[in-house]
Amino acid sequence: HMLPQTPDMDERSPILVAIALQRLIYVLACRRGKRQFMASLQPVPHMVSVILLALALAAPALAQSRGAADSVMVFGGVASETNFTDLLISPWTAEVNAIGVVGGSYAHRFGTVNELTGGIGHLGDDLTVEGEAGVSARFGDEDLGEAWTALYLRYDGLPWNETVYTTIGVNTGVSLLTNLSDFERWRDDKGRSSVFLHYLGPEFTFANPENKDLELVLRLHHRSGVFGLFDGVVSGSTFLSAGIRVRF
């Protein structure tokens, strides 16, 4: 009798990544005993996992210098009360609260810096420029919608990329909420908030070098007033988020 074939790692990786994202959301939400929050969050990771798995199974397995130029991402996360700069240095120290977020975005890569500028040396081949537009919904202790647009600069010249294809993305953009955020007002020293703020979403991505069109994304989903530049708002909000990006 023939034994059933065991899926290889490339076939199983979308499933493992979807499960990992679900568990990450669970662990973050469980911190500090947020049991009430988990009751409302519990169905969401399962729905997100199904969406991620469907997208991941549809992704082509192509070995390229980098993934395709267009992409969609879905993600989930939880709000942090920790200062943004502290999160950049040590995200594992985050104090989370009872506000969650789910969302999605579309992005397009315009080209490398060398292609767009005529050449700045070897570094310009490892830097790409992307535009992104996205929407998200907050739930739990806050019920708001958000839309943003951003311009990303991405670096992929890391020495271990033949083992784990890794990129680092930084951006600048703008974010618009459907209403004022009580959470953001509470975090501001002067109690100010605004629906229109600056958007900053630094991220790391990880992919199989043989399938760069499927990425695990870890991002700090952050909006703020940039030290009072936007309507005098100093603070803002940050969500620890994880998602899947499919390039096509």
Side-chain angles (χ1 to χ4, degrees), residues 40-109:
S40 65
L41 182 66
Q42 210 164 21
V44 175
H46 299 286
M47 292 186 291
V48 171
S49 293
V50 170
I51 296 170
L52 299 184
L53 182 56
L55 289 172
L57 291 175
L62 300 175
Q64 306 175 39
S65 60
R66 52 179 54 97
D70 294 282
S71 67
V72 292
M73 178 181 70
V74 289
F75 70 93
V78 61
S80 173
E81 298 176 1
T82 307
N83 183 276
F84 177 72
T85 54
D86 292 336
L87 288 175
L88 284 175
I89 299 170
S90 53
W92 52 88
T93 64
E95 298 277 348
V96 300
N97 70 9
I99 303 175
V101 66
V102 291
S105 66
Y106 164 79
H108 175 75
R109 183 173 63 239

Side-chain angles (χ1 to χ4, degrees), residues 24-44:
L24 175 64
I25 297 172
Y26 180 91
V27 169
L28 288 172
C30 277
R31 291 191 61 184
R32 307 293 173 183
K34 304 293 186 181
R35 300 299 178 186
Q36 183 178 2
F37 176 51
M38 270 310 301
S40 65
L41 182 66
Q42 210 164 21
V44 175

Side-chain angles (χ1 to χ4, degrees), residues 2-242:
M2 298 267 310
L3 293 175
Q5 282 190 323
T6 302
D8 61 25
M9 184 55 70
D10 283 345
E11 292 172 329
R12 291 180 307 190
S13 58
I15 301 172
L16 297 176
V17 169
I19 293 173
L21 174 59
Q22 174 180 333
R23 293 306 161 203
L24 175 64
I25 297 172
Y26 180 91
V27 169
L28 288 172
C30 277
R31 291 191 61 184
R32 307 293 173 183
K34 304 293 186 181
R35 300 299 178 186
Q36 183 178 2
F37 176 51
M38 270 310 301
S40 65
L41 182 66
Q42 210 164 21
V44 175
H46 299 286
M47 292 186 291
V48 171
S49 293
V50 170
I51 296 170
L52 299 184
L53 182 56
L55 289 172
L57 291 175
L62 300 175
Q64 306 175 39
S65 60
R66 52 179 54 97
D70 294 282
S71 67
V72 292
M73 178 181 70
V74 289
F75 70 93
V78 61
S80 173
E81 298 176 1
T82 307
N83 183 276
F84 177 72
T85 54
D86 292 336
L87 288 175
L88 284 175
I89 299 170
S90 53
W92 52 88
T93 64
E95 298 277 348
V96 300
N97 70 9
I99 303 175
V101 66
V102 291
S105 66
Y106 164 79
H108 175 75
R109 183 173 63 239
F110 299 112
T112 67
V113 169
N114 278 352
E115 291 169 343
L116 297 172
T117 64
I120 63 169
H122 177 70
L123 179 62
D125 290 329
D126 295 328
L127 290 169
T128 57
V129 179
E130 300 176 6
E132 180 185 85
V135 293
S136 67
R138 300 182 185 184
F139 59 94
D141 281 357
E142 194 162 77
D143 183 14
L144 293 173
E146 179 187 10
W148 72 90
T149 183
L151 191 66
Y152 269 85
L153 185 66
R154 187 175 305 280
Y155 177 72
D156 67 352
L158 298 164
W160 59 81
N161 274 5
E162 290 187 3
T163 304
V164 179
Y165 180 67
T166 307
T167 77
I168 303 170
V170 294
N171 75 295
T172 184
V174 290
S175 165
L176 184 69
L177 289 182
T178 54
N179 208 338
L180 292 175
S181 166
D182 290 334
F183 173 58
E184 294 177 359
R185 182 185 289 113
W186 170 76
R187 295 194 71 253
D188 191 83
D189 290 340
K190 297 181 179 179
R192 294 176 177 172
S193 66
S194 175
V195 295
F196 185 70
L197 291 177
H198 180 260
Y199 177 67
L200 184 63
E203 66 176 36
F204 285 89
T205 73
F206 307 92
N208 184 331
E210 299 300 318
N211 186 8
K212 296 174 184 175
D213 287 333
L214 175 62
E215 300 173 339
L216 170 65
V217 183
L218 302 180
R219 176 183 289 192
L220 291 179
H221 186 82
H222 173 77
R223 44 176 267 131
S224 74
V226 194
F227 307 106
L229 182 63
F230 287 71
D231 288 344
V233 176
V234 174
S235 189
S237 61
T238 305
F239 288 79
L240 301 168
S241 70

